[in-house]
Amino acid sequence: MAQPDSRRRGGLVPTLLCCLGVALALAIAVAWRADVYDRNIERITGAVPDEEGRPVDDPGENWLLIGSDMRGESTPGKWRQGEADADVIMLLHVPEGEARAYVIAISRDSWVDIPGHGEGKIADAYSMGGPRLLTSTVEELGDVRVDHFAAVDFAGFEAMTDALGGVVIDLPHEVYDPTNGWYWEAGENHMDGEEALRFVRERKGLSGSDQDRIKRQQVFLRAMAEKAVSEEVRTDPRRLDAFLTAASESVAVDEDTTMGMMRGLMMRLVGIGPEGAVFLSLPAGSTGWEGEQNVVYLDEETSAGVFERVRDGKLMEYIAEEGLEHEAESLEVQGSEY
């Protein structure tokens, strides 16, 4: 089995920061604006379920991270019933007493049990019942407890990208979407916010559909995160403030999450460092159709094993045993898919 390549891990910690509002970590260095950024962050009441019937809390910290695709503009907020979708679903697990952080990606097309609604795509839980129902669905799927919830509006990614002056994405192969006529050449592509948003949302030109789009989103988030922590941004107060403002205005968290908690998590992730960051996806056993919906049937045995090791603190051992390290560390190797 191939050994993990730390170079490929290098973007993972910044990527985590991005999903939780990468700007908040940098805000420590510009404390004079921290209160402003804090006020920009939306708090969602009831995002995390009540205590009764929930899984036992495991040692460590679990965050449910969502990339929200807004469908309308009738009311303010990062989630509007019937108008919001979840394009990116990830569980961030930071175990206690271990210098690692794990990001477990769950395909939005995964066919799962949605509490009170029967079977459906896991993304449907978000559109039907918002953060609370999606959190309950993830907890039931893995029998793991979600401590906190965070969502980033995809429109925020566009604003953050523009605030940075665009990002450069290096593609190992050309990408062409025949449906929309979008094309990106092999090599470096400088993308503004609008083009970057097209890049992360398009999936009709991908052979693996949503699973490949997850990889594409990882590549984009890494590029944006690397730009955000670059010297040219950190030493430019106006550009930095524009990025921090766009990021904080795009983030929503559960009502119990404080700025102190977010800063604490950010500092812990920075302390863990790139060598301790591991990304993996719940593997698909197969794909198929449920009515007119194309869905992903998760590999139940492997998925159950992943969540069991989250609970007992032995996830890294399981990743090595099952050969999941290659899956976790091979964005560049699998570049042909994005």
Side-chain angles (χ1 to χ4, degrees):
M1 180 182 66
Q3 292 301 309
D5 183 339
S6 61
R7 176 178 59 84
R8 290 174 184 150
R9 284 185 185 172
L12 263 295
V13 167
T15 297
L16 302 183
L17 301 183
C18 219
C19 295
L20 280 171
V22 60
L24 298 179
L26 299 176
I28 296 172
V30 284
W32 61 278
R33 290 279 288 170
D35 287 345
V36 175
Y37 305 138
D38 189 26
R39 289 194 297 271
N40 288 342
I41 298 171
E42 180 185 345
R43 262 71 181 190
I44 303 175
T45 303
V48 176
D50 297 330
E51 290 297 318
E52 186 176 355
R54 297 182 67 198
V56 175
D57 196 7
D58 61 84
E61 197 169 355
N62 296 323
W63 288 71
L64 182 58
L65 310 178
I66 302 301
S68 177
D69 179 16
M70 301 305 296
R71 300 295 189 185
E73 300 180 354
S74 60
T75 58
K78 308 299 185 299
W79 175 72
R80 309 170 191 137
Q81 188 165 357
E83 297 180 2
D85 206 349
D87 266 17
V88 180
I89 303 173
M90 299 182 291
L91 183 69
L92 166 63
H93 173 60
V94 186
E96 188 176 283
E98 184 180 354
R100 287 193 178 93
Y102 302 89
V103 182
I104 304 169
I106 307 172
S107 170
R108 54 160 294 161
D109 293 335
S110 300
W111 192 250
V112 300
D113 288 324
I114 301 176
H117 296 270
E119 293 183 314
K121 287 186 178 183
I122 194 167
D124 291 342
Y126 191 65
S127 57
M128 291 188 298
R132 188 184 186 91
L133 183 57
L134 181 59
T135 299
S136 295
T137 301
V138 172
E139 288 190 338
E140 183 170 299
L141 173 66
D143 192 26
V144 294
R145 185 184 184 91
V146 173
D147 299 303
H148 295 287
F149 174 90
V152 180
D153 187 349
F154 258 138
F157 287 140
E158 182 175 353
M160 284 186 277
T161 301
D162 284 335
L164 292 172
V167 298
V168 175
I169 297 179
D170 191 0
L171 299 176
H173 302 274
E174 65 179 13
V175 175
Y176 175 63
D177 172 10
T179 301
N180 297 297
W182 296 336
Y183 172 80
W184 293 280
E185 63 184 14
E188 293 187 349
N189 291 260
H190 183 273
M191 300 185 186
D192 62 12
E194 183 179 359
E195 186 174 10
L197 192 59
R198 288 202 303 266
F199 179 77
V200 299
R201 294 179 66 177
E202 183 273 333
R203 61 175 173 173
K204 293 182 180 179
L206 300 175
S207 60
S209 190
D210 194 54
Q211 295 284 44
D212 284 345
R213 185 165 65 159
I214 288 174
K215 298 169 189 173
R216 177 178 288 187
Q217 290 163 351
Q218 295 163 13
V219 171
F220 166 70
L221 285 174
R222 179 170 58 190
M224 183 168 66
E226 288 174 348
K227 182 70 173 288
V229 298
S230 67
E231 184 175 359
E232 68 174 292
V233 173
R234 288 186 289 108
T235 57
D236 185 336
R238 290 187 178 181
R239 186 185 295 188
L240 178 60
D241 181 59
F243 175 68
L244 296 174
T245 299
S248 59
E249 288 178 345
S250 304
V251 175
V253 297
D254 63 272
E255 60 186 321
D256 295 325
T257 296
T258 65
M259 175 65 84
M261 290 177 182
M262 287 185 279
R263 283 180 176 170
L265 177 62
M266 296 307 105
M267 295 308 295
R268 186 174 178 192
L269 292 174
V270 170
I272 286 172
E275 68 279 2
V278 179
F279 185 96
L280 67 153
S281 302
L282 290 185
S286 64
T287 60
W289 293 88
E290 294 288 343
E292 298 182 353
Q293 299 183 92
N294 186 212
V295 304
V296 171
Y297 301 108
L298 294 174
D299 181 326
E300 294 184 4
E301 182 177 352
T302 304
S303 297
V306 167
F307 287 124
E308 180 182 352
R309 296 304 182 261
V310 167
R311 294 192 299 271
D312 66 18
K314 298 180 180 179
L315 183 54
M316 196 65 222
E317 294 178 20
Y318 185 75
I319 290 173
E321 290 171 2
E322 297 298 316
L324 298 178
E325 287 176 338
H326 181 72
E327 162 75 13
E329 308 300 338
S330 57
L331 288 179
E332 288 83 0
V333 174
Q334 299 178 29
S336 61
E337 297 298 328
Y338 62 80

